[in-house]
Amino acid sequence: MVGRFASWAYLGIALLFIFLPVLVLIQFSFQGGMAPVPPFDGPSLRWWAKVMANRKITDGLWNSLLVGLGSAFMATVLGFLAAYAMARKRRRLSGLYQFLLMAPITVSYLIIGMGLQIFFNHLGIGKSLWVIGIGHVVINLPLTFAILYSQLGEHQANIERAAYDLGASDARVVLEITVPMLWPSLLAAFFIAATLSWDEFVIAFLLSRFDVTLPVVIWSMLRSGLSPELNAAGTLVFGISILAVALVELLLWRARRNRA
Amino acid sequence: MTDRVEFRSVTKEYDGNVVVAPLDLSIAAGEFVVLLGPSGSGKTTLLNMIGGFASPSSGRVLIDGQDFTDLPPARRPTATVFQDYALFPHMSLAANVAFGLRMQGMAKPARLAKAEAMLELVGLKGFGKRGVHQLSGGQRQRVALARAMAVEPKVLLLDEPLGALDLALRRQMQEELVRLQKRSGATFVHVTHDQEEAMSIADRIVVVNKGRIEDMGPPDRVYLKPATLFAATFMGESNVLAGRVAAVSSGEIQVETPLGALVVPGSALLASDVHLVLRPEQLQLTPPANGFALGQARVEELSFQGTHCRCHCHMSGQDLVLRAPVSAGLKTGATVTLHAARDDVVVLKA
Ligand SMILES: Nc1ncnc2c1ncn2[C@@H]1O[C@H](COP(=O)(O)OP(=O)(O)OP(=O)(O)O)[C@@H](O)[C@H]1O
Ligand SMILES: [Mg+2]
């Protein structure tokens, strides 16, 4: 009985430790006064209205969405193609390819960002949202590849074999069997990549100049001190992330159920 | 008439390991052939070479006299029922069954009607709109069967299709397979390592071991007169007496065995080593017509099996298994005289 209570208490404290800062951040985005510090004198939507009217923030929001969705789409497509090739067409060097595909996961974002900056500089390509998107594809490809590769097992191969056996061509098997069969995992990979791109700061900071993403906007606003407006912007970032994560959980849960 | 399927000196190697030794096999149209063998004997490999999922290292695979060795599965008049069913999880049952027809370009109303008819044939009438996840294992197996048969293959390949089902369901599905096969007239090539299943469904059993055909023929022949020691021991239980031929006369040989000299019908070279094989139910407690006595045995162990008693006996250093009628009332430790009919003894070269 006591042990049970203790374990619940422990869980409660752990969750509080993780979420209290976030909850405070959210609460003070509804602050009435000028400073995001107690006492709380809200709730008021005044800072939210200010955020929504702030061109820098709304532009950053759109840029982030654009980069997040675009780079996640590319990372998912490329990750799927790589996973499909690795899982279905065994070649002699596939171990090496797999290592090279997964390698970026061990490199820090700072190094990747610097590398890309130098590389694009050499090519004479200026900093832009495109370049940030490419950076995010680089960091997310190992993840989408790993997720999709794990879903292309022997059972799925047998299902594809059944389709070939019934007269389907390569293209039809991929489009009508493999992709629909992996649909939940593809969406999950997409949303994980989109979430990571959405609140990624280092690469976005290093590779942006005029068009910047939301985390970079927030960072530049932070330099001029705290304000409940920043809390509202942060809450926005957090809320959209949570939404995407919930979607991923739902999709993965469905994928697991379908496999059973 | 040409054979439906023909293996011509086919071999298969994986990285230098010979999985199928040079092998010839002909399967007639409309035949129900069962490939029977232990795990790793090459059954799946043989099936895959008919279906196009594996290509022989050498030799040819012919279907209806035409060389299909190098054609992919999609271009072969074969269809496969996989052990794990391999149903398309994102499609309804009707769409699953109609998939092959859609690939052939059949119009939607026609293929849905056909799918419905196929589902009815396997006892799943009205299930067309359901999803794969709402089915039991036995039902999935039926859908897999309907899906493969919908394209009207000349040859249906079944790789241990009943392996995952419980015993009662397996028996029922065995009967249904035979019924479907007779009805469709298609050639069935069925892989199993269950010898009872093989005997109950096959027109012809092909006993495979280490990539070779040990024996093939109708189930009763393979069971009663196996061609090799492996076939004798794999197809049910056998008592094997090792011996040496001591005398040969026309149609009869005398064999020195641990149980003494036995005269049995057959032919063999003088002084060659042979095995004498007798099934447990062929050892009898009363002298049969045209039989002989093997000698006195001591009953070591008895187990009641309902229809009979399974009995382990010991005789001159040889262990024997027999099926005694329950009415014989055997007791452990008793001494019995064992007999066998002459014609039951199978003589195999060692
Ligand atoms: N793709 C492969 N690569 C290497 N070896 C293989 C491959 N497929 C099969 N083998 C080998 O070939 C042999 C025969 O395999 P096969 O699958 O035909 O046996 P099987 O009779 O179907 O056995 P089971 O009853 O266990 O299914 C085995 O020793 C197996 O290890
Ligand atoms: Mg097998």
mmCIF file of all heavy atoms in Angstrom, chain B residues 26-58:
data_model
loop_
_atom_site.group_PDB
_atom_site.id
_atom_site.type_symbol
_atom_site.label_atom_id
_atom_site.label_comp_id
_atom_site.label_asym_id
_atom_site.label_seq_id
_atom_site.Cartn_x
_atom_site.Cartn_y
_atom_site.Cartn_z
ATOM 1 N N SER B 26 7.837 -35.593 -62.364
ATOM 2 C CA SER B 26 6.732 -35.223 -63.237
ATOM 3 C C SER B 26 5.442 -35.243 -62.448
ATOM 4 O O SER B 26 5.214 -36.149 -61.651
ATOM 5 C CB SER B 26 6.617 -36.211 -64.397
ATOM 6 O OG SER B 26 7.736 -36.088 -65.224
ATOM 7 N N ILE B 27 4.636 -34.224 -62.679
ATOM 8 C CA ILE B 27 3.352 -34.149 -61.999
ATOM 9 C C ILE B 27 2.281 -34.041 -63.072
ATOM 10 O O ILE B 27 2.364 -33.197 -63.961
ATOM 11 C CB ILE B 27 3.312 -32.933 -61.053
ATOM 12 C CG1 ILE B 27 4.386 -33.087 -59.964
ATOM 13 C CG2 ILE B 27 1.936 -32.774 -60.436
ATOM 14 C CD1 ILE B 27 4.612 -31.843 -59.138
ATOM 15 N N ALA B 28 1.284 -34.922 -63.008
ATOM 16 C CA ALA B 28 0.255 -34.957 -64.048
ATOM 17 C C ALA B 28 -0.805 -33.895 -63.797
ATOM 18 O O ALA B 28 -0.966 -33.408 -62.681
ATOM 19 C CB ALA B 28 -0.379 -36.339 -64.091
ATOM 20 N N ALA B 29 -1.518 -33.520 -64.835
ATOM 21 C CA ALA B 29 -2.612 -32.566 -64.698
ATOM 22 C C ALA B 29 -3.670 -33.162 -63.780
ATOM 23 O O ALA B 29 -3.993 -34.341 -63.869
ATOM 24 C CB ALA B 29 -3.198 -32.255 -66.063
ATOM 25 N N GLY B 30 -4.201 -32.312 -62.880
ATOM 26 C CA GLY B 30 -5.277 -32.753 -62.008
ATOM 27 C C GLY B 30 -4.833 -33.628 -60.857
ATOM 28 O O GLY B 30 -5.662 -34.176 -60.131
ATOM 29 N N GLU B 31 -3.541 -33.733 -60.671
ATOM 30 C CA GLU B 31 -3.045 -34.586 -59.603
ATOM 31 C C GLU B 31 -2.917 -33.786 -58.304
ATOM 32 O O GLU B 31 -2.635 -32.586 -58.337
ATOM 33 C CB GLU B 31 -1.679 -35.141 -60.011
ATOM 34 C CG GLU B 31 -1.304 -36.409 -59.286
ATOM 35 C CD GLU B 31 0.059 -36.963 -59.734
ATOM 36 O OE1 GLU B 31 0.753 -36.302 -60.522
ATOM 37 O OE2 GLU B 31 0.412 -38.035 -59.279
ATOM 38 N N PHE B 32 -3.112 -34.459 -57.182
ATOM 39 C CA PHE B 32 -2.883 -33.846 -55.872
ATOM 40 C C PHE B 32 -1.613 -34.471 -55.316
ATOM 41 O O PHE B 32 -1.613 -35.592 -54.827
ATOM 42 C CB PHE B 32 -4.059 -34.112 -54.935
ATOM 43 C CG PHE B 32 -4.137 -33.176 -53.763
ATOM 44 C CD1 PHE B 32 -5.372 -32.635 -53.386
ATOM 45 C CD2 PHE B 32 -3.017 -32.824 -53.034
ATOM 46 C CE1 PHE B 32 -5.462 -31.763 -52.297
ATOM 47 C CE2 PHE B 32 -3.093 -31.956 -51.962
ATOM 48 C CZ PHE B 32 -4.324 -31.432 -51.585
ATOM 49 N N VAL B 33 -0.520 -33.716 -55.447
ATOM 50 C CA VAL B 33 0.782 -34.240 -55.030
ATOM 51 C C VAL B 33 1.180 -33.595 -53.710
ATOM 52 O O VAL B 33 1.011 -32.390 -53.527
ATOM 53 C CB VAL B 33 1.852 -33.933 -56.103
ATOM 54 C CG1 VAL B 33 3.246 -34.202 -55.562
ATOM 55 C CG2 VAL B 33 1.598 -34.768 -57.339
ATOM 56 N N VAL B 34 1.672 -34.409 -52.795
ATOM 57 C CA VAL B 34 2.154 -33.872 -51.538
ATOM 58 C C VAL B 34 3.655 -34.098 -51.438
ATOM 59 O O VAL B 34 4.131 -35.213 -51.617
ATOM 60 C CB VAL B 34 1.444 -34.520 -50.336
ATOM 61 C CG1 VAL B 34 2.101 -34.081 -49.034
ATOM 62 C CG2 VAL B 34 -0.024 -34.166 -50.335
ATOM 63 N N LEU B 35 4.387 -33.007 -51.212
ATOM 64 C CA LEU B 35 5.824 -33.116 -50.940
ATOM 65 C C LEU B 35 5.978 -33.250 -49.441
ATOM 66 O O LEU B 35 5.596 -32.360 -48.681
ATOM 67 C CB LEU B 35 6.570 -31.881 -51.432
ATOM 68 C CG LEU B 35 6.442 -31.512 -52.904
ATOM 69 C CD1 LEU B 35 7.261 -30.257 -53.204
ATOM 70 C CD2 LEU B 35 6.868 -32.654 -53.799
ATOM 71 N N LEU B 36 6.505 -34.395 -49.029
ATOM 72 C CA LEU B 36 6.623 -34.689 -47.605
ATOM 73 C C LEU B 36 8.088 -34.843 -47.257
ATOM 74 O O LEU B 36 8.823 -35.541 -47.957
ATOM 75 C CB LEU B 36 5.859 -35.991 -47.307
ATOM 76 C CG LEU B 36 5.936 -36.546 -45.890
ATOM 77 C CD1 LEU B 36 5.199 -35.642 -44.920
ATOM 78 C CD2 LEU B 36 5.354 -37.951 -45.835
ATOM 79 N N GLY B 37 8.504 -34.192 -46.185
ATOM 80 C CA GLY B 37 9.899 -34.337 -45.794
ATOM 81 C C GLY B 37 10.175 -33.561 -44.532
ATOM 82 O O GLY B 37 9.384 -32.695 -44.144
ATOM 83 N N PRO B 38 11.300 -33.836 -43.878
ATOM 84 C CA PRO B 38 11.629 -33.132 -42.646
ATOM 85 C C PRO B 38 12.003 -31.686 -42.931
ATOM 86 O O PRO B 38 12.175 -31.293 -44.081
ATOM 87 C CB PRO B 38 12.815 -33.913 -42.093
ATOM 88 C CG PRO B 38 13.429 -34.571 -43.273
ATOM 89 C CD PRO B 38 12.336 -34.826 -44.242
ATOM 90 N N SER B 39 12.141 -30.902 -41.880
ATOM 91 C CA SER B 39 12.507 -29.503 -42.011
ATOM 92 C C SER B 39 13.874 -29.382 -42.688
ATOM 93 O O SER B 39 14.787 -30.122 -42.362
ATOM 94 C CB SER B 39 12.548 -28.878 -40.621
ATOM 95 O OG SER B 39 12.759 -27.512 -40.734
ATOM 96 N N GLY B 40 13.959 -28.475 -43.639
ATOM 97 C CA GLY B 40 15.240 -28.262 -44.317
ATOM 98 C C GLY B 40 15.515 -29.234 -45.443
ATOM 99 O O GLY B 40 16.601 -29.227 -46.013
ATOM 100 N N SER B 41 14.534 -30.050 -45.796
ATOM 101 C CA SER B 41 14.789 -31.064 -46.823
ATOM 102 C C SER B 41 14.711 -30.487 -48.232
ATOM 103 O O SER B 41 15.111 -31.137 -49.190
ATOM 104 C CB SER B 41 13.797 -32.215 -46.666
ATOM 105 O OG SER B 41 12.480 -31.729 -46.720
ATOM 106 N N GLY B 42 14.172 -29.270 -48.367
ATOM 107 C CA GLY B 42 14.128 -28.646 -49.677
ATOM 108 C C GLY B 42 12.736 -28.571 -50.282
ATOM 109 O O GLY B 42 12.588 -28.249 -51.465
ATOM 110 N N LYS B 43 11.706 -28.820 -49.489
ATOM 111 C CA LYS B 43 10.334 -28.804 -50.010
ATOM 112 C C LYS B 43 9.942 -27.426 -50.521
ATOM 113 O O LYS B 43 9.446 -27.274 -51.637
ATOM 114 C CB LYS B 43 9.340 -29.234 -48.912
ATOM 115 C CG LYS B 43 9.685 -30.530 -48.236
ATOM 116 C CD LYS B 43 8.688 -30.879 -47.142
ATOM 117 C CE LYS B 43 8.651 -29.895 -45.990
ATOM 118 N NZ LYS B 43 9.826 -29.930 -45.129
ATOM 119 N N THR B 44 10.179 -26.427 -49.671
ATOM 120 C CA THR B 44 9.819 -25.063 -50.063
ATOM 121 C C THR B 44 10.601 -24.645 -51.301
ATOM 122 O O THR B 44 10.068 -23.991 -52.200
ATOM 123 C CB THR B 44 10.085 -24.093 -48.900
ATOM 124 O OG1 THR B 44 9.251 -24.464 -47.810
ATOM 125 C CG2 THR B 44 9.806 -22.665 -49.303
ATOM 126 N N THR B 45 11.870 -25.034 -51.347
ATOM 127 C CA THR B 45 12.701 -24.696 -52.499
ATOM 128 C C THR B 45 12.108 -25.287 -53.775
ATOM 129 O O THR B 45 12.029 -24.603 -54.801
ATOM 130 C CB THR B 45 14.129 -25.217 -52.275
ATOM 131 O OG1 THR B 45 14.590 -24.734 -51.013
ATOM 132 C CG2 THR B 45 15.067 -24.757 -53.364
ATOM 133 N N LEU B 46 11.665 -26.530 -53.709
ATOM 134 C CA LEU B 46 11.052 -27.154 -54.885
ATOM 135 C C LEU B 46 9.797 -26.394 -55.298
ATOM 136 O O LEU B 46 9.583 -26.083 -56.482
ATOM 137 C CB LEU B 46 10.689 -28.616 -54.586
ATOM 138 C CG LEU B 46 11.861 -29.596 -54.519
ATOM 139 C CD1 LEU B 46 11.391 -30.971 -54.096
ATOM 140 C CD2 LEU B 46 12.537 -29.677 -55.882
ATOM 141 N N LEU B 47 8.964 -26.064 -54.310
ATOM 142 C CA LEU B 47 7.724 -25.353 -54.592
ATOM 143 C C LEU B 47 8.023 -23.983 -55.212
ATOM 144 O O LEU B 47 7.383 -23.570 -56.181
ATOM 145 C CB LEU B 47 6.956 -25.188 -53.280
ATOM 146 C CG LEU B 47 5.454 -25.078 -53.380
ATOM 147 C CD1 LEU B 47 4.868 -26.368 -53.918
ATOM 148 C CD2 LEU B 47 4.853 -24.766 -52.024
ATOM 149 N N ASN B 48 9.024 -23.305 -54.641
ATOM 150 C CA ASN B 48 9.391 -21.984 -55.146
ATOM 151 C C ASN B 48 9.895 -22.036 -56.577
ATOM 152 O O ASN B 48 9.755 -21.072 -57.328
ATOM 153 C CB ASN B 48 10.457 -21.358 -54.244
ATOM 154 C CG ASN B 48 9.849 -20.810 -52.964
ATOM 155 O OD1 ASN B 48 8.633 -20.671 -52.867
ATOM 156 N ND2 ASN B 48 10.679 -20.525 -51.991
ATOM 157 N N MET B 49 10.488 -23.145 -56.948
ATOM 158 C CA MET B 49 10.973 -23.243 -58.325
ATOM 159 C C MET B 49 9.810 -23.459 -59.295
ATOM 160 O O MET B 49 9.904 -23.088 -60.463
ATOM 161 C CB MET B 49 12.026 -24.346 -58.434
ATOM 162 C CG MET B 49 13.319 -23.933 -57.734
ATOM 163 S SD MET B 49 14.750 -24.935 -58.143
ATOM 164 C CE MET B 49 14.445 -26.414 -57.243
ATOM 165 N N ILE B 50 8.727 -24.036 -58.818
ATOM 166 C CA ILE B 50 7.539 -24.139 -59.687
ATOM 167 C C ILE B 50 6.869 -22.764 -59.788
ATOM 168 O O ILE B 50 6.461 -22.318 -60.855
ATOM 169 C CB ILE B 50 6.517 -25.175 -59.157
ATOM 170 C CG1 ILE B 50 7.169 -26.541 -58.937
ATOM 171 C CG2 ILE B 50 5.334 -25.306 -60.127
ATOM 172 C CD1 ILE B 50 6.231 -27.570 -58.341
ATOM 173 N N GLY B 51 6.787 -22.075 -58.645
ATOM 174 C CA GLY B 51 6.082 -20.794 -58.605
ATOM 175 C C GLY B 51 6.889 -19.636 -59.169
ATOM 176 O O GLY B 51 6.338 -18.582 -59.466
ATOM 177 N N GLY B 52 8.205 -19.811 -59.286
ATOM 178 C CA GLY B 52 9.032 -18.743 -59.837
ATOM 179 C C GLY B 52 9.686 -17.871 -58.790
ATOM 180 O O GLY B 52 10.275 -16.849 -59.114
ATOM 181 N N PHE B 53 9.612 -18.247 -57.514
ATOM 182 C CA PHE B 53 10.243 -17.451 -56.456
ATOM 183 C C PHE B 53 11.688 -17.859 -56.228
ATOM 184 O O PHE B 53 12.404 -17.213 -55.485
ATOM 185 C CB PHE B 53 9.442 -17.571 -55.162
ATOM 186 C CG PHE B 53 8.071 -16.995 -55.281
ATOM 187 C CD1 PHE B 53 6.945 -17.801 -55.313
ATOM 188 C CD2 PHE B 53 7.901 -15.626 -55.407
ATOM 189 C CE1 PHE B 53 5.682 -17.263 -55.441
ATOM 190 C CE2 PHE B 53 6.646 -15.080 -55.537
ATOM 191 C CZ PHE B 53 5.530 -15.900 -55.553
ATOM 192 N N ALA B 54 12.096 -18.953 -56.845
ATOM 193 C CA ALA B 54 13.503 -19.350 -56.798
ATOM 194 C C ALA B 54 13.815 -19.933 -58.162
ATOM 195 O O ALA B 54 12.952 -20.538 -58.788
ATOM 196 C CB ALA B 54 13.731 -20.396 -55.705
ATOM 197 N N SER B 55 15.046 -19.702 -58.631
ATOM 198 C CA SER B 55 15.366 -20.289 -59.922
ATOM 199 C C SER B 55 16.420 -21.367 -59.721
ATOM 200 O O SER B 55 17.308 -21.236 -58.882
ATOM 201 C CB SER B 55 15.856 -19.219 -60.891
ATOM 202 O OG SER B 55 16.929 -18.532 -60.310
ATOM 203 N N PRO B 56 16.322 -22.466 -60.472
ATOM 204 C CA PRO B 56 17.250 -23.573 -60.305
ATOM 205 C C PRO B 56 18.679 -23.153 -60.659
ATOM 206 O O PRO B 56 18.872 -22.272 -61.490
ATOM 207 C CB PRO B 56 16.754 -24.627 -61.298
ATOM 208 C CG PRO B 56 15.509 -24.112 -61.893
ATOM 209 C CD PRO B 56 15.339 -22.682 -61.532
ATOM 210 N N SER B 57 19.650 -23.785 -60.009
ATOM 211 C CA SER B 57 21.044 -23.524 -60.371
ATOM 212 C C SER B 57 21.362 -24.180 -61.705
ATOM 213 O O SER B 57 22.161 -23.684 -62.479
ATOM 214 C CB SER B 57 21.981 -24.059 -59.292
ATOM 215 O OG SER B 57 21.659 -23.498 -58.050
ATOM 216 N N SER B 58 20.718 -25.311 -61.962
ATOM 217 C CA SER B 58 20.812 -25.909 -63.295
ATOM 218 C C SER B 58 19.560 -26.745 -63.513
ATOM 219 O O SER B 58 18.819 -27.022 -62.575
ATOM 220 C CB SER B 58 22.068 -26.777 -63.409
ATOM 221 O OG SER B 58 21.916 -27.924 -62.613
#
